[in-house]
Amino acid sequence: MILHDIRQYLRPGLPQTTFCAGCGHGLIMASMLRAVDSLGIDMQRTVFVSGIGCAAWIPSPHVDADTLHTLHGRAVAYATGVKVANPDLTVIVVSGDGDLSSIGGNHLIHAARRGVDLTVLCANNQIYGMTGGQTACTTPEGAFTSTSPAGNPYRPFDLVELVRAAGSAYAARWPVTRPVEMTRAIKRALATPAFSFVDCISPCPT
């Protein structure tokens, strides 16, 4: 795999990172931008959409492109509006599992059902990381969180199976510890002319 220089895609003048030490979200950003570079995607014709949470900081403020930092759980809804208004744009949604699947779950499954031409990247740390470590719909059964001190009693959603069942044209899952494979999956998602989804598993040590 060629290591692409992604600095050209970063907004000038920013600190190196806004993420906590040990967070995997910077690796998701690097894989996403390597995929964009490898495919020769025109950043002047690309819009990044995110919701609320740690993962929403991947495109905004880091990426030097048009970004929409939207309401909690509404990233896919806003992205759908952008794509419908201008179908020629490449629209990439980057947000966390709490935002995309807990708060915004209906938007996610219906965009997959309708086959809206979006690439959705879920930075999945299996918890609400930014707001204090509460249980999300992706939190493993039995996990201890700030809202499940006795262990999470509920089984989690498998987001890849969820969007596949809803009609996603492409869905994959890779951890940030496998950046080559994750970059390839994001490339394939970007090249899919329909709804596509990559579940990027990212640690939240904080």
Side-chain angles (χ1 to χ4, degrees), residues 24-193:
H25 288 8
L27 297 169
I28 297 171
M29 179 173 64
S31 285
M32 175 186 74
L33 294 177
R34 288 186 182 115
V36 164
D37 186 64
S38 179
L39 293 169
I41 292 173
D42 182 1
M43 294 292 267
Q44 298 299 313
R45 305 287 301 163
T46 301
V47 177
F48 292 86
V49 186
S50 62
I52 299 298
C54 306
W57 286 77
I58 292 173
S60 172
H62 290 102
V63 180
D64 191 14
D66 288 325
T67 60
L68 284 175
H69 202 146
T70 73
L71 301 172
H72 203 356
R74 305 298 178 251
V76 172
Y78 276 83
T80 299
V82 171
K83 190 65 179 181
V84 169
N86 191 341
D88 293 332
L89 293 174
T90 298
V91 183
I92 304 170
V93 178
V94 188
S95 218
D97 52 298
D99 186 80
L100 287 171
S101 61
S102 290
I103 304 296
N106 272 342
H107 298 302
L108 180 69
I109 61 174
H110 288 295
R113 178 179 66 86
R114 296 181 184 118
V116 182
D117 186 7
L118 306 174
T119 298
V120 179
L121 307 182
C122 180
N124 188 348
N125 54 20
Q126 302 178 325
I127 202 162
Y128 283 98
M130 187 180 73
T131 56
Q134 299 92 341
T135 302
C137 70
T138 50
T139 302
E141 189 172 359
F144 299 99
T145 75
S146 63
T147 51
S148 61
N152 175 31
Y154 306 112
R155 64 183 179 86
F157 272 138
D158 181 328
L159 296 184
V160 169
E161 291 303 316
L162 180 70
V163 297
R164 280 180 176 162
S168 181
Y170 175 73
R173 174 184 296 117
W174 288 101
V176 297
T177 53
R178 302 288 294 273
V180 173
E181 291 87 350
M182 188 166 64
T183 301
R184 287 176 183 155
I186 295 171
K187 279 179 62 177
R188 183 169 170 186
L190 287 166
T192 299

